[in-house]
Amino acid sequence: MRVSIIVTSALLWSAANAQSVEDVHLNVIPRTVAEADRIEAVLRPPTDFSVPQKFEELSAGAATVRVRPDANAFSQPSGNISFEDELTFKVGNGLFRKLWVSSPSSTLASDGLGPLYNARSCQRCHLKDGRGHPPDGQEDNAISMFLRVSIPGGPDDGIDEIEGYLATLPDPTYGTQLQDFSLAGHPAEYSLQIDYEEVEVALSEGETAVLRQPTYTAANLGYGPLHPDAMLSPRVAPQMIGLGLLEAIPASDILALADPDDADGDGISGRPNIVWSLEYTQPMLGRFGLKAGAPTVRHQSAGAFAGDIGISNPLFPAAWGECTELQSGCRDAPHGDDDERGFEIGDEGLDLVTFYSRNLGVPARRNVNDPQVLLGKAVFHTTGCASCHQPAFVTHRLQDQPEQSFQLIWPYTDMLLHDMGPGLADNRPEARATGAEWRTPPLWGIGLTQQVSGHTYFLHDGRARSLLEAILWHGGEAQAQRDAVVKMPRADRDALIKFLESL
């Protein structure tokens, strides 16, 4: 019953918002009826947890890569990439790792940094293509973490084509993102200050866990006070693997999982974020970013170049990046778009970085036959975790992206927004996402975080120091699942963590 209700709801929603759900960024070969039937069969939820599902170890289908034993596990090209395209991947990697310098410079292809920025390269935030972390003590910096900022918009600041759009505006002085680094002669915008309060949580069988409740302060403001209504949102750089496959999931399949009015009464009411595409000048399904605020990998990459590094590009053409009109010294400084490039990174460079980001391979699952892992998988499903962390999809069949074309993938996300309760709320809207909603993060590769990134900090701001802590922060739509984990036998809880570590 639930499936038919959700699909009907999604189809009605799609009919009313057709331009919002078209996959205009992909060259799609439509599925045949026979293919649709095969897909429906392969995606049915498991009923036997004594053995793995077929192809479950291939997290990214044919694009899956072997598990490397070192920190480069997330830095491999798609397993099915061609020899010729592997060269393109490596050139894109070079641009992803490139350290940008200030203008004017004799290195004309690399100048244009800042003047305000969070990092000098993409790799500085996404070290080894893994997830970032909050500052670890007084001596550590916040290079892979920053604060987004905005103020509430008015009735004339929305986007008419997007129903339910929650209008926001940049902070008049600081824009939409606070930068904590700057070039000589320019004050940095702020210093990130985090204060933690420890909260103890009692678990079954006498166990306890300790959570860190963070308070964020934009300290040492370099350009005067923030707007009185400024809304701050902490963000840690997410891992980079599998982005092209997530981009290739049919929007209709994601929408079919949406249940905005909780029609089936299970307490889960995932909603799609619909955002404005700068590439296609129309509303599209939001897929990327912690609140699904970007529709494509290219859009996300271009936004990061502008906001994180201060690099102009075809989608975000301002030579000064995020500098506002009140930051006149930043706007008047030398920039790197006065040469033949036109932008500090042009279409060709942006396309290369996009290709690299699309094709970072997802490592294979580990220990899929382990009895404790299989028990943990059963706990994951019976507890209801799979209601949001949707295990599998089949991507579109594509004309020009063989690496992502028609793959059975296991990302463990529904790509939808969910209200995660007041404990995780940043109280800052983004497009249609409320201040309490976050996109379900993919879980593939999560068990390799320590190996790749050297830590086990999770959630949007890295407050959780373990997978268990991350679960215990769940609230809102996931409150029932969180409470079940608290109360379940310790053996089941341990098995659940073991299952997550196998992903």
Side-chain angles (χ1 to χ4, degrees), residues 92-144:
N93 184 22
L95 288 170
F96 192 83
R97 296 167 60 91
K98 181 169 74 168
L99 293 175
W100 294 83
V101 299
S102 59
S103 299
S105 170
S106 60
T107 55
L108 294 180
S110 299
D111 70 333
L113 175 67
L116 304 175
Y117 59 96
N118 295 106
R120 289 181 60 198
S121 74
C122 307
Q123 180 79 200
R124 287 287 180 94
C125 288
H126 302 278
L127 187 63
K128 295 294 184 180
D129 306 296
R131 65 182 72 234
H133 62 87
D136 193 6
Q138 294 283 342
E139 302 304 315
D140 198 7
N141 62 35
I143 197 165
S144 58

Side-chain angles (χ1 to χ4, degrees), residues 95 98 100-113 310-314 319 334-349:
L95 288 170
K98 181 169 74 168
W100 294 83
V101 299
S102 59
S103 299
S105 170
S106 60
T107 55
L108 294 180
S110 299
D111 70 333
L113 175 67
I311 299 298
S312 65
N313 58 76
H335 300 291
D337 61 349
D338 295 329
D339 53 44
E340 62 184 21
R341 288 175 295 172
F343 301 105
E344 289 162 339
I345 187 167
D347 277 313
E348 184 178 13

